[in-house]
Amino acid sequence: MFTGIVTDVGEITSLTPTAQGQLHRLRIACRYDRATIADGASIACNGVCLTVVASGVEGGKTWFDVDAAAETLGMTTAKHWGVGTRLNLERALKIGDELGGHIVAGHADGVATIVSREDLPDMARFVLRTTRELARFIAVKGSITLDGVSLTVNTVDDVTFSVLIIPHTLNVTTVGGWRAGSEVNIEVDLMARYAARLTEMK
């Protein structure tokens, strides 16, 4: 489990397709302490929970390897990742940690497309479009996770919604580089999903 509070921005330094391209082995450079990364640990990469299969230090910088499987490549932006891609990173939540965002599973539901970006004084407003299936879980003032970042929904209009990004988030995540036409990973609020399921069962 995660909270959607990004703790580092990593960069893919190598990508090796295996299993006829159905699996990508990624090496990601980061600022985490190598001693705190165990094989089998979960790290959210742009909102996608991936399992560490190796780690080390090279050139004074920590790296870790993860595998992105066919399902991840098929339904998230991971299919577009390459060497040099910057990723929002978050370590798995520990009991007793501060829950600064909201409960995030790291299981991306799909992608949302950025419709527009409006730069405001020290802030930015993004309008995004998603599928009708996912839009039903998005509500004004509700929580949404975009590329691993916990955000509050400002407005909703059918299958489009908007978020307002504060200066801190623009500075410490990859959000500052978002542009119209780009795709981002989306995870809807877990509570909204369960509420919808309960309604369906009545």
Side-chain angles (χ1 to χ4, degrees):
M1 301 298 290
F2 306 90
T3 69
I5 302 299
V6 173
T7 52
D8 192 15
V9 174
E11 182 176 330
I12 297 175
T13 59
S14 70
L15 187 155
T16 307
T18 60
Q20 289 78 50
Q22 296 301 300
L23 189 74
H24 286 183
R25 172 66 58 89
L26 307 172
R27 176 159 294 183
I28 301 170
C30 67
R31 293 178 298 176
Y32 294 139
D33 182 351
R34 160 64 183 84
T36 68
I37 303 176
D39 288 358
S42 296
I43 298 180
C45 304
N46 267 15
V48 180
C49 178
L50 297 174
T51 302
V52 174
V53 296
S55 60
V57 176
E58 184 176 348
K61 195 157 191 177
T62 299
W63 59 263
F64 63 91
D65 287 352
V66 292
D67 289 328
E71 183 176 1
T72 298
L73 296 174
M75 67 177 298
T76 73
T77 62
K79 58 181 168 288
H80 302 309
W81 297 353
V83 173
T85 298
R86 299 171 71 242
L87 304 172
N88 294 318
L89 304 179
E90 182 186 356
R91 305 291 299 275
L93 182 66
K94 296 178 182 177
I95 299 298
D97 283 354
E98 180 179 352
L99 186 62
H102 70 285
I103 297 173
V104 176
H107 301 155
D109 294 299
V111 299
T113 302
I114 299 172
V115 176
S116 65
R117 170 177 178 154
E118 180 185 3
D119 287 305
L120 306 168
D122 297 322
M123 295 186 292
R125 180 177 182 271
F126 293 91
V127 176
L128 302 99
R129 180 178 61 252
T130 189
T131 62
R132 188 164 299 280
E133 178 185 356
L134 294 179
R136 66 194 184 102
F137 299 115
I138 302 173
V140 173
K141 297 186 180 179
S143 296
I144 193 80
T145 308
L146 300 176
D147 269 359
V149 182
S150 173
L151 298 168
T152 300
V153 178
N154 288 126
T155 63
V156 177
D157 182 11
D158 195 37
V159 297
T160 65
F161 63 96
S162 70
V163 291
L164 186 66
I165 312 297
I166 62 173
H168 176 76
T169 304
L170 289 172
N171 291 331
V172 302
T173 71
T174 63
V175 175
W178 288 1
R179 297 291 182 268
S182 299
E183 289 184 336
V184 297
N185 294 319
I186 180 172
E187 181 183 329
V188 298
D189 184 49
L190 199 60
M191 289 185 288
R193 180 178 295 282
Y194 280 115
R197 180 60 175 161
L198 288 170
T199 301
E200 291 171 357
M201 294 298 289
K202 289 182 180 179

